Amino acid sequence: MATELLEIQPQVFKFTFEVKKQSSCSIQLGNNSNQYVAFKVKTTSPKKYCVRPNTGIIKPKATYDFTVTMQAQRVAPPDMQCKDKFLIQSTVVPFGTTEEDLTSDMFSKDSSKYIEEKKLRVILISPPPSPVLLPCNGALKQDPSSETLVQRLLSGVENIPPPRKVAEDAKLIETAEELDELREAKCVDSRPSDDVEGLKSVKNVVELNIAEDFEDMKSKLNTMDSKLREAELTITKLTEERNMTTVEKDTLKDELEVLRKNNVRRIQMGFPLFYVCMVALISVLVGYLIHP
């Protein structure tokens, strides 16, 4: 075709990679034609990515957005290089086609339809560094009031704070330690939630794969059903033709029998040719003898 059916923005899939965390990116498809265009998204690693939706219909001069989610990974790839690729197929469909009408056969290269394909690669980006160290990373921020108290106790100055002030500082220290312990517990408890989210995402991917396989099997079964119906129609036609041929054959046999019987009757009812000739010859001879 002279112009491309779809305009893809951006041209690559960019994911912010963090170990044991999901990452998503959005892709926008623009229809450059004046017709309805159907698209389908494929990937070399279907268990690693979740595409929602992976098929759709784009109206003329309209746009369509879909989201790709990379599942949580336990290990970072070497040098943050990813070899995964995506394939976006697009083709023109009749006016009024809906997403429920889409089948995998529409994007098959064996058909006579024009299928436009675009391959996109995956780029992994490291997350920006955090300016504040969290307690779960092992770095605790010391409270200023406790630091002042320790310095006063170690310096041995005469201006020792009253007992009430010391008790308040001690309470502040205990409160800070309790907050740190709560933060660490919260950080530890969040890990199972991340694992649960990862399991949920894996479950969603499995369900999507099962749904795709079910649609493929459904389309194959429909194709086989149509072929079986055609075969049944062909067999029915051949059977009818054979029956008609048998009836015509029997009719011809009956007609031959009737003709044969009529010929036999004609032969029996008439005189033989030899007999007629002999009678004529004898009649001539008798007439010649009578009238010399």
Side-chain angles (χ1 to χ4, degrees):
M1 299 184 69
T3 59
E4 295 181 347
L5 292 177
L6 297 182
E7 180 181 357
I8 304 174
Q9 293 295 335
Q11 294 289 329
V12 293
F13 289 83
K14 291 184 180 181
F15 296 97
T16 301
F17 184 85
E18 293 186 71
V19 178
K20 296 183 180 180
K21 287 187 178 181
Q22 292 184 355
S23 180
S24 301
C25 71
S26 180
I27 300 295
Q28 185 179 80
L29 303 178
N31 187 358
N32 295 328
S33 67
N34 294 321
Q35 297 175 319
Y36 277 57
V37 174
F39 74 90
K40 185 174 184 179
V41 183
K42 297 181 179 179
T43 178
T44 56
S45 302
K47 295 182 179 181
K48 187 176 178 182
Y49 301 96
C50 176
V51 183
R52 294 184 182 178
N54 63 337
T55 58
I57 302 290
I58 311 176
K59 296 181 180 180
K61 303 299 181 180
T63 59
Y64 198 105
D65 294 344
F66 67 90
T67 304
V68 180
T69 302
M70 183 176 65
Q71 307 303 323
Q73 304 297 312
R74 295 184 178 180
V75 182
D79 299 330
M80 296 291 286
Q81 297 295 324
C82 184
K83 296 182 180 180
D84 300 332
K85 295 185 182 300
F86 282 83
L87 177 66
I88 299 178
Q89 295 178 314
S90 57
T91 184
V92 176
V93 294
F95 177 82
T97 304
T98 61
E99 296 182 358
E100 289 77 10
D101 300 331
L102 296 180
T103 60
S104 57
D105 296 336
M106 292 184 178
F107 302 94
S108 176
K109 293 183 179 179
D110 298 334
S111 61
S112 59
K113 298 178 63 177
Y114 172 74
I115 307 296
E116 183 179 277
E117 295 183 345
K118 288 188 178 181
K119 295 180 179 180
L120 282 74
R121 59 192 184 94
V122 177
I123 295 178
L124 301 180
I125 303 173
S126 300
S130 179
V132 179
L133 295 176
L134 297 176
C136 59
N137 293 330
L140 299 177
K141 188 176 181 181
Q142 190 174 4
D143 191 81
S145 61
S146 63
E147 183 180 359
T148 304
L149 177 60
V150 173
Q151 289 178 358
R152 289 180 180 179
L153 290 174
L154 293 177
S155 61
V157 295
E158 295 181 353
N159 295 327
I160 298 175
R164 184 179 296 177
K165 184 66 176 178
V166 175
E168 291 178 358
D169 291 338
K171 289 182 179 180
L172 289 173
I173 294 172
E174 292 177 357
T175 305
E177 290 176 355
E178 290 176 359
L179 288 174
D180 292 337
E181 290 177 358
L182 290 173
R183 289 176 182 175
E184 291 177 357
K186 186 176 180 181
C187 184
V188 172
D189 292 336
S190 63
R191 293 176 184 175
S193 63
D194 291 339
D195 295 338
V196 171
E197 291 179 357
L199 291 175
K200 288 182 179 179
S201 61
V202 172
K203 182 180 178 181
N204 293 332
V205 172
V206 172
E207 290 177 353
L208 288 174
N209 292 334
I210 292 173
E212 290 181 357
D213 295 338
F214 177 77
E215 292 294 332
D216 292 337
M217 289 296 295
K218 187 176 180 181
S219 62
K220 290 180 181 179
L221 287 174
N222 291 332
T223 303
M224 292 295 295
D225 189 22
S226 62
K227 290 182 179 180
L228 286 174
R229 290 179 180 178
E230 292 177 0
E232 288 177 357
L233 290 175
T234 304
I235 292 171
T236 304
K237 289 180 180 180
L238 291 175
T239 304
E240 291 176 356
E241 290 178 359
R242 185 183 66 181
N243 294 333
M244 291 178 63
T245 304
T246 304
V247 171
E248 291 177 358
K249 184 178 180 181
D250 294 336
T251 304
L252 289 174
K253 284 183 179 180
D254 295 336
E255 290 178 357
L256 286 174
E257 288 293 332
V258 172
L259 290 174
R260 188 179 296 172
K261 289 180 180 179
N262 291 333
N263 289 332
V264 170
R265 288 178 181 177
R266 288 177 182 177
I267 292 172
Q268 291 178 355
M269 293 175 63
F271 292 95
L273 180 63
F274 180 74
Y275 179 78
V276 172
C277 293
M278 290 298 296
V279 170
L281 182 61
I282 292 171
S283 299
V284 170
L285 289 174
V286 171
Y288 181 75
L289 291 175
I290 295 173
H291 301 283

